[in-house]
Amino acid sequence: MKIGFPRAMFYYDTFPFWAGYFEALGIELKVSPRTNREVLERGLKKASDETCLPIKLLSGHLASLPSDVEAVFLPRMVSIEKKTYMCPKILGLPESVLASVPEGLPVISVDINWREGKAQVQKALEKLGEQLGKSKGEARRAFAKAQKYQQVYEEMRRSGQGFEESMRYFEGLGKPDGKGVSDAGLGSYGGSHLTSSERLPTIALIGHPYLTYESYGNLNLLSKLKAKAKLVFMENVEQVQIEDHLKDLRKPLFWSQGKRLLGAGHSYAINQYVDGVIYLSCFGCGTDSMTQDMLARRARTHHKPYMVLTLDEHSGEAGVITRVEAFLDMIERKRIGLSNKSGYSSSSIGEINR
Ligand code: SF4
């Protein structure tokens, strides 16, 4: 069986999990092509105008799935850890994007709620396995493999391996010549990602993975930054550190993504080897509207240069380049002692059409 998997939203943080699960069940996942103008156009036609860019891109990818798939997989990620929820737009999936699914293509879905504990997730995946004609035992083994793959992926990212490189590793699964993940995979990607001796400035790029690594959607921000700076990401920060950096909040954050963005962002805001923090956000994101401001306050307290880049489908490349260059110039002046300004800035881009 071939199941379509859109290269959007949950692809960017949980694809290895699903690759492990479906591989163990003998089902091939076929991922939609990389985002391009046509994919975005399809998404804009199908999705609601009011929704955020990542959901519009998801709609475009659903409408661009390979024609030989027999079904599409759209999980509902309710919660990825205890005591928090995903944002309401994610909770509303898959129903809110059903109009984008090609006519006649069945949708396979499952509710993943880590808030209720591992036993609950296992139960949900056993039920999903049953729908796919597999036994409980097979589904349980598939769950174990899914967790292992996700663990390997997260370890790869924490140790500094790039997103594309790590994902290629997992996208090879399921193909006849796919090598899969070796048992020795975990922990064998050592290497620290922060040192003091770099000549290039170190910039922390904080944002949702489905924006940070979506190169068409973010106007190739990563490659522009990589040419001029050493980059570190939210995924390089361990969960325990994230929790540690949120200990002083008067009330715990309710949204899983906001929690990760703020905790990781704060760890970089106080890190002496990080020269500046860029928060990558998108118009219409409710959780970002709060966390980007909370992080701005923390960055200001620690005199860390900080910039918010807000994207939507109208954002233009020239606008991004101008803002990034100005930010890096300011950091350079600060580094060589020409300026003692904190470098705090917050505004949106989007004035130049694509
Ligand atoms: S967290 Fe923000 S960007 Fe992500 S789906 Fe929700 S509203 Fe959109």
Side-chain angles (χ1 to χ4, degrees):
M1 189 182 188
K2 288 175 188 165
I3 294 184
F5 196 102
R7 193 185 293 273
M9 302 291 302
F10 34 84
Y11 165 84
Y12 288 94
D13 39 20
T14 54
F15 181 75
F17 182 91
W18 297 115
Y21 180 78
F22 286 106
E23 188 199 48
L25 296 181
I27 293 170
E28 187 181 346
L29 284 185
K30 295 205 87 178
V31 184
S32 56
R34 287 177 194 284
T35 309
N36 54 33
R37 181 87 223 170
E38 289 76 49
V39 172
L40 177 63
E41 291 289 346
R42 282 186 202 126
L44 296 180
K45 270 190 208 137
K46 299 275 183 185
S48 147
D49 281 348
E50 278 87 52
T51 198
C52 58
L53 180 62
I55 303 267
K56 289 175 183 168
L57 288 168
L58 172 63
S59 292
H61 278 276
L62 285 170
S64 311
L65 285 168
S67 55
D68 61 341
V69 297
E70 294 150 71
V72 53
F73 181 59
L74 269 176
R76 186 198 313 281
M77 303 300 292
V78 178
S79 169
I80 51 172
E81 59 184 349
K82 292 223 159 135
K83 297 187 182 163
T84 62
Y85 276 112
M86 300 298 271
C87 104
K89 288 190 183 106
I90 292 180
L91 292 180
L93 299 172
E95 288 83 0
S96 64
V97 290
L98 278 185
S100 311
V101 175
E103 223 179 307
L105 198 63
V107 175
I108 297 172
S109 188
V110 60
D111 286 7
I112 298 296
N113 192 351
W114 285 98
R115 194 183 161 95
E116 305 284 328
K118 188 175 166 180
Q120 206 57 34
V121 176
Q122 179 164 310
K123 231 172 162 178
L125 290 175
E126 282 173 10
K127 223 168 143 194
L128 174 64
E130 258 175 58
Q131 283 170 28
L132 296 165
K134 309 291 173 184
S135 70
K136 271 192 183 172
E138 285 174 310
R140 241 176 265 154
R141 282 191 290 280
F143 178 39
K145 198 167 195 179
Q147 285 181 289
K148 164 122 192 289
Y149 281 16
Q150 188 65 25
Q151 200 186 357
V152 171
Y153 168 71
E154 286 172 13
E155 183 62 31
M156 286 163 94
R157 294 306 322 280
R158 269 196 298 276
S159 64
Q161 193 127 331
F163 171 79
E164 291 284 342
E165 202 182 347
S166 310
M167 243 3 150
R168 266 202 301 274
Y169 196 65
F170 292 96
E171 276 206 43
L173 301 175
K175 289 180 188 160
D177 59 346
K179 290 201 178 80
V181 180
S182 74
D183 284 342
L186 191 61
S188 62
Y189 305 94
S192 102
H193 54 275
L194 289 181
T195 60
S196 59
S197 57
E198 300 289 334
R199 276 185 62 239
L200 290 174
T202 298
I203 301 294
L205 184 61
I206 298 297
H208 301 276
Y210 43 75
L211 262 187
T212 306
Y213 306 112
E214 166 52 75
S215 50
Y216 187 85
N218 67 29
L219 306 156
N220 286 316
L221 177 67
L222 237 55
S223 52
K224 289 180 182 74
L225 278 171
K226 270 182 191 161
K228 300 184 172 208
K230 181 175 167 57
L231 294 180
V232 286
F233 303 94
M234 179 176 80
E235 292 79 3
N236 299 128
V237 184
E238 296 211 25
Q239 186 62 26
V240 55
Q241 282 177 280
I242 288 177
E243 300 284 349
D244 208 44
H245 285 278
L246 297 174
K247 272 205 299 233
D248 60 337
L249 287 178
R250 269 187 288 169
K251 261 173 99 180
L253 281 179
F254 190 62
W255 309 111
S256 320
Q257 302 106 308
K259 205 177 144 186
R260 292 191 170 183
L261 294 169
L262 183 62
H266 185 235
S267 78
Y268 288 131
I270 62 167
N271 190 313
Q272 57 168 322
Y273 298 131
V274 173
D275 298 293
V277 178
I278 297 179
Y279 192 115
L280 184 63
S281 177
C282 61
F283 280 106
C285 178
T287 64
D288 277 0
S289 62
M290 186 172 73
T291 43
Q292 72 188 30
D293 190 59
M294 289 170 86
L295 186 54
R297 288 165 197 235
R298 290 180 176 217
R300 206 172 330 178
T301 308
H302 297 283
H303 305 287
K304 185 73 72 184
Y306 176 78
M307 175 171 75
V308 179
L309 281 178
T310 309
L311 297 171
D312 73 0
E313 62 274 22
H314 305 297
S315 301
E317 206 157 340
V320 175
I321 293 172
T322 310
R323 300 243 6 248
V324 166
E325 283 184 352
F327 186 66
L328 293 176
D329 279 355
M330 181 266 298
I331 283 176
E332 194 48 34
R333 285 169 64 80
K334 195 168 188 281
R335 279 196 340 151
I336 58 175
L338 286 177
S339 165
N340 60 1
K341 289 204 169 105
S342 74
Y344 169 77
S345 124
S346 174
S347 64
S348 300
I349 52 168
E351 65 278 12
I352 304 164
N353 288 339
R354 285 170 191 267

